[in-house]
Amino acid sequence: MNLYPPLRPLLFRLDPETAHNLTLSSLRRLHALGLLKPFLPRVPDAPRRVMGLEFPNPVGMAAGLDKNGEAIDAMASLGFGFLELGAVTPRPQPGNPQPRLFRLPEARAIINRMGFNNLGVDHLLHNLEARRSRGIVGVNLGKNFDTPIERAADDYLILLNKLYGKVDFVTINISSPNTKNLRALQGGDELDALLGRIKAEQQRLADRHGSHMPVAVKIAPDLDDAQIAEMAALLRKHRVDALIATNTTLSRAGVEHLAHGQETGGLSGAPVRERSTRVIQAFHRALEGELPIIGAGGILNGEDAREKLAAGADLVQIYSGLIYRGPELIRECVEATRR
């Protein structure tokens, strides 16, 4: 029984951030009381092995939906093949001033300028220890807003050390448009130095723990062919475990005329679908199969998910689509991508 269609108009009457927080807390409470299961879609098995991990299906929850891991068990029960929590920073931070989240219903899109608002990695670790579900969980890593960009690697290393062995993978977020200068880390020399330090620390931790925890990198959709070629060469050089393509876009093509269409922040949802798919295709060619790609950006139905896999993605992630379609989208995407 799909309850989301009648609930969505009620949620859309609320401020987007209020609706987001209410949804998370409600899911957590309903799951704890055992009242959520009867209303969830049946998601078929569609196993994939990626990054050396066994995924029950290729459809994941993208970072940003549950930054602090407040509803891990509830989100896992929706049928996701994996969850990516965060973005988390070493220290708690409030993020940007409100309002900072905007719906564009006519375009099935969202603009956000949240600014890595989160309660810090120690709070997330507490919630990870309390979870009961044993599904695959990753964490998206960001730098604190007041950490100078030239010291961003220090923040990533702090997080890598704290989370190593506590989750299944981590993602280095160098593509959020809402932290000043963060995307500068996608540049050649900056990225080369950053990946060198991260991979060295990953190897040191692997030797200490006796196990390898994959490290992915999340990139922006606003890249030209030369940037893609340069980044792909560095990802291969440093043997990064996976690429997540893509984050939100700074482009406003197709939404300029809509209410909130000119708000500052990253645009996600349907308008970013083609741009994201183009970047996935380009990286797939450039990487020559040396590392897997997790596709994200504009997945609003099963065909969109299948398109991402056809472009070269091994897994996909959804966020904005879940806001517009609800949990039924998970089942639809899994069924569309079954081999």
Side-chain angles (χ1 to χ4, degrees):
M1 182 179 182
N2 189 359
L3 286 181
Y4 191 70
L7 287 176
R8 196 186 85 168
L10 301 176
L11 289 170
F12 274 38
R13 290 178 187 173
L14 300 174
D15 164 77
E17 191 165 351
T18 300
H20 179 105
N21 294 334
L22 176 63
T23 300
L24 271 188
S25 61
S26 298
L27 285 172
R28 184 177 68 246
R29 292 189 185 102
L30 288 170
H31 181 269
L33 293 170
L35 300 176
L36 194 57
K37 188 174 182 180
F39 302 104
L40 298 178
R42 286 191 174 185
V43 178
D45 291 331
R48 302 285 176 100
R49 183 171 178 82
V50 180
M51 298 187 290
L53 302 171
E54 296 291 341
F55 293 80
N57 70 62
V59 180
M61 180 190 82
L65 191 57
D66 188 3
K67 294 176 182 289
N68 298 305
E70 304 287 356
I72 300 174
D73 293 334
M75 299 308 295
S77 75
L78 300 183
F80 284 112
F82 62 106
L83 307 178
E84 187 175 358
L85 309 175
V88 68
T89 53
R91 292 171 281 110
Q93 62 181 37
N96 292 321
Q98 299 178 345
R100 53 193 179 180
L101 186 63
F102 307 89
R103 303 187 196 96
L104 286 69
E106 303 94 328
R108 296 181 299 165
I110 292 171
I111 291 176
N112 94 83
R113 51 170 179 264
M114 304 299 285
F116 288 165
N117 58 305
N118 74 104
L119 298 175
V121 66
D122 291 335
H123 181 86
L124 177 60
L125 282 167
H126 174 78
N127 287 336
L128 283 165
E129 290 170 1
R131 71 175 172 132
R132 295 185 178 182
S133 60
R134 300 268 69 89
I136 292 179
V137 173
V139 176
N140 191 282
L141 313 184
K143 80 168 192 72
N144 278 113
F145 78 98
D146 56 353
T147 298
I149 196 66
E150 60 271 17
R151 289 177 49 199
D154 295 344
D155 278 10
Y156 291 122
L157 295 183
I158 290 169
L159 295 167
L160 182 61
N161 272 269
K162 289 205 169 195
L163 288 162
Y164 203 97
K166 305 291 176 58
V167 291
D168 297 288
F169 70 94
V170 295
T171 301
I172 307 301
N173 188 336
I174 54 173
S175 52
S176 170
N178 301 315
T179 295
K180 185 178 179 181
N181 296 328
L182 187 69
R183 287 191 174 187
L185 295 174
Q186 295 180 137
D189 292 341
E190 293 83 357
L191 184 59
D192 192 18
L194 176 66
L195 293 181
R197 289 192 63 187
I198 288 170
K199 290 298 290 186
E201 189 67 5
Q202 180 193 33
Q203 185 58 58
R204 188 185 71 80
L205 290 166
D207 292 342
R208 180 202 293 177
H209 290 266
S211 62
H212 177 82
M213 186 181 73
V215 173
V217 172
K218 187 168 186 175
I219 53 92
D222 308 313
L223 301 170
D224 60 31
D225 291 341
Q227 290 172 308
I228 289 171
E230 182 179 48
M231 292 178 72
L234 290 172
L235 295 171
R236 295 172 72 182
K237 170 187 173 181
H238 291 284
R239 297 182 175 273
V240 172
D241 295 289
L243 171 71
I244 299 184
T246 63
N247 212 317
T248 56
T249 181
L250 292 172
S251 170
R252 293 296 182 267
V255 305
E256 315 96 314
H257 61 292
L258 299 177
H260 303 303
Q262 295 294 340
E263 291 286 350
T264 302
L267 173 70
S268 62
V272 79
R273 179 182 64 80
E274 291 186 12
R275 185 181 294 260
S276 167
T277 301
R278 179 192 67 80
V279 170
I280 291 168
Q281 288 173 326
F283 270 105
H284 180 63
R285 290 191 298 268
L287 292 170
E288 298 182 352
E290 286 195 23
L291 59 143
I293 298 172
I294 302 172
I299 297 175
L300 273 293
N301 54 54
E303 181 55 38
D304 294 339
R306 185 160 46 225
E307 177 186 73
K308 290 288 191 280
L309 295 190
D314 300 271
L315 305 169
V316 297
Q317 291 179 318
I318 58 176
Y319 179 174
S320 297
L322 199 66
I323 306 303
Y324 284 96
R325 293 285 315 281
E328 184 65 21
L329 178 62
I330 304 166
R331 179 200 58 79
E332 185 179 316
C333 288
V334 173
E335 290 186 347
T337 55
R338 292 179 78 184
R339 289 171 174 163

